[in-house]
Amino acid sequence: MAVTTFAAIDIGSYNVSVEIFELTKKNGLRSLNRVRTGLELGADTFALHKITTKRLNELTKILLDYKEIMKEYGVSGYRACAKSAFREAKNRYLVLDHIYKATGLKVDVLSNSEQRFLGYKSIASRGEEFQKIIEKGTAIVDVGGGSVQISLFDKDALVTTQNIQIGSLRIRERLASFDHETVHYDRLVDQLINKDITNFKRMYLKDRKIDNMVLVGDYFTNLIFQNTSDTNKIETKEEFMQWYDHIIKSSPRDIADELGVSTEMSSVLIPTTVVYRKLIETFDCETIWLPGIQLTDGIAFDYGEKQKIIKSSHDFEKDIILAARNIGKKYAGNKDHNEKLVDTAMAIFNVVKKDSMLDNRAKVLLKVACYLHDCGKYITFVNVAECSYNIIMSTEIIGLSTRERRIIANVVKYNTQELTYYHEIGSDYSLSREDYMLIAQLVAIMRLANCLDQSYLQKIESLQISKKNGELVVTVGTHQDFTLERGIFNENIDFFEEIYNLKPVLKIKRMR
């Protein structure tokens, strides 16, 4: 039986951890060892907007120690991920360069959507248990040092996922200059976070019933819920409130002594606990599930999937598409047209894929672009392309990196605007040549697909696409007048042919 040993490193706002995993096709994921070291990187970032030399040197020493642990286990692969403490640091690239030179370790700074998606994958690694719980109204809550992510599920479908900047360490630093002026610190925290949680409830909960709350967080999550062994645990709202009353009446020193942590760490426990209490009351759920997992589980699970060692029963790409569909709905997208656009674009994609750089991930990006292709009309009908671009770049889409979001935003933008040549004046110099070519290929598909439903009347009753003798033959069956669509199709022939070296030919078959 082939065994892969993998190391997952999580660089968080207040601790750094490494977990060694054994991965096999037969047994899946098994943790061999976990080491956690306290380090408040977030205290630097959220107060100074950068990581100080002192913290950097401490982090470097920790990573060198972890590298020795990885050597002892003979790991064949690793991934080191940094979160909001790095993401929001102005000097992050200097810090990353120093770490690589000092340790040889490459650190990935996760976008918020990537981070939360890995946390979400860590829960999904529980398989049937996860699938069963999200069949009912479920809120997956990830409380970190910098922010809180809330993902709502209903009948196995991802309804929405939103990030709120009320992380525990951020709250502590925000209130640090005047928290001594009150004896009811918990009330101060409550008032600070109240508007954000109230707005979330008003915008996304409405009459939605939440039966289960799943807590993904980190080490602090299990500490607060007295799940110190990081095991699977179910808790009721009443059990939590008893513990909550005890926590808020205790001093940071008493909490530190009771839980066996430093006073520096215990000072973050109260804001974290208040956030959980506020969310539990808001969702009014009876069951709180702590899977006992960390981000490292998600990192390892993701690695196992990509290496085809682990196969998940949950369709994560479906969640990305559902998120895009819901965002399109939020911005008043035309549902029938969007679905027709997706179907047509996929039909074209499948034919041209073989002789291009397109892969299955590109198909996901194209689907997302189709659902969001005219979201800018929600703001204005005059400058739709630019408005759509800005909406997409400003919207977190779970499971997509910032790079992938930029690709989608450009595909949508150049669906209606002229695509400049690479390094031509006016082009986006932040794009790599590979990303530019991917954008060009997806734009060509979207333009051709979009013009076939230009009237938004879904005239197509049957569609066949084939490739023959240097031509992309598009055979449309319809009983309606197709003059408008034919005319705009002809306007897009040259661009498609330039990209794919295939000349699109439209054939119309009259349906009886």
Side-chain angles (χ1 to χ4, degrees), residues 71-90:
K71 187 177 179 181
E72 289 174 16
Y73 280 90
V75 300
S76 54
Y78 81 92
R79 188 180 184 191
C81 296
K83 299 182 288 192
S84 58
F86 263 70
R87 196 161 56 235
E88 298 183 32
K90 293 187 294 185

Side-chain angles (χ1 to χ4, degrees), residues 33-268:
N33 189 18
R34 179 189 291 163
V35 178
R36 183 184 293 116
T37 308
L39 180 65
E40 287 202 358
L41 286 171
D44 281 355
T45 301
F46 304 140
L48 306 173
H49 306 294
K50 68 176 185 177
I51 295 171
T52 62
T53 302
K54 179 178 180 293
R55 301 279 192 197
L56 173 57
N57 290 337
E58 291 174 0
L59 175 59
T60 302
K61 184 179 182 303
I62 292 169
L63 292 177
L64 285 170
D65 290 341
Y66 287 177
K67 202 173 176 186
E68 287 300 312
I69 295 172
M70 292 160 61
K71 187 177 179 181
E72 289 174 16
Y73 280 90
V75 300
S76 54
Y78 81 92
R79 188 180 184 191
C81 296
K83 299 182 288 192
S84 58
F86 263 70
R87 196 161 56 235
E88 298 183 32
K90 293 187 294 185
N91 63 337
R92 61 186 175 277
Y93 295 116
L94 297 174
V95 172
L96 290 171
D97 183 63
H98 172 87
I99 289 173
Y100 182 73
K101 288 177 179 176
T103 68
L105 294 173
K106 180 180 178 293
V107 177
D108 296 330
V109 181
L110 301 175
S111 68
N112 179 66
S113 57
E114 287 177 299
Q115 174 188 335
R116 307 308 174 171
F117 198 55
L118 286 175
Y120 168 37
K121 277 194 170 185
S122 66
I123 314 174
S125 66
R126 292 302 172 90
E128 292 181 3
E129 194 173 7
F130 170 72
Q131 285 297 127
K132 184 177 179 181
I133 204 164
I134 62 172
E135 287 175 2
K136 295 183 178 181
T138 301
I140 296 180
V141 177
D142 185 348
V143 177
S147 63
V148 174
Q149 189 81 16
I150 305 174
S151 302
L152 300 182
F153 281 82
D154 191 13
K155 296 177 182 176
D156 193 26
L158 179 63
V159 177
T160 188
T161 180
Q162 298 296 323
N163 185 257
I164 310 174
Q165 299 283 293
I166 52 171
S168 52
L169 201 55
R170 192 188 300 275
I171 292 171
R172 191 192 71 180
E173 296 305 310
R174 178 69 181 84
L175 300 178
S177 62
F178 52 88
D179 62 359
H180 61 280
E181 297 178 15
T182 179
V183 294
H184 298 291
Y185 180 65
D186 58 303
R187 297 180 188 175
L188 201 62
V189 175
D190 187 290
Q191 292 172 25
L192 178 68
I193 67 177
N194 182 66
K195 73 176 187 303
D196 288 321
I197 293 179
T198 299
N199 285 335
F200 175 85
K201 180 180 181 180
R202 176 178 57 82
M203 295 174 68
Y204 300 105
L205 275 185
K206 297 180 181 178
D207 297 325
R208 193 178 304 281
K209 177 75 170 66
I210 302 298
D211 299 286
N212 306 305
M213 183 170 168
V214 184
L215 305 185
V216 185
D218 48 26
Y219 168 60
F220 266 25
T221 302
N222 290 328
L223 195 64
I224 288 170
F225 286 84
Q226 298 176 286
N227 190 30
T228 52
S229 59
D230 293 355
T231 55
N232 198 21
K233 182 183 180 183
I234 300 292
E235 184 155 321
T236 65
K237 181 167 60 177
E238 289 72 23
E239 288 171 329
F240 170 77
M241 289 309 299
Q242 289 177 8
W243 175 242
Y244 175 81
D245 290 338
H246 171 68
I247 283 283
I248 62 169
K249 292 174 183 175
S250 304
S251 68
R253 183 172 293 279
D254 289 338
I255 295 171
D257 291 340
E258 183 172 352
L259 298 179
V261 297
S262 67
T263 52
E264 193 175 44
M265 292 184 72
S266 68
S267 67
V268 186

Side-chain angles (χ1 to χ4, degrees), residues 485-504:
E485 285 74 16
R486 180 195 288 277
I488 297 176
F489 181 94
N490 290 337
E491 292 175 358
N492 287 281
I493 288 175
D494 291 344
F495 180 73
F496 191 94
E497 187 175 14
E498 183 179 15
I499 300 300
Y500 286 102
N501 197 28
L502 282 172
K503 183 176 182 179

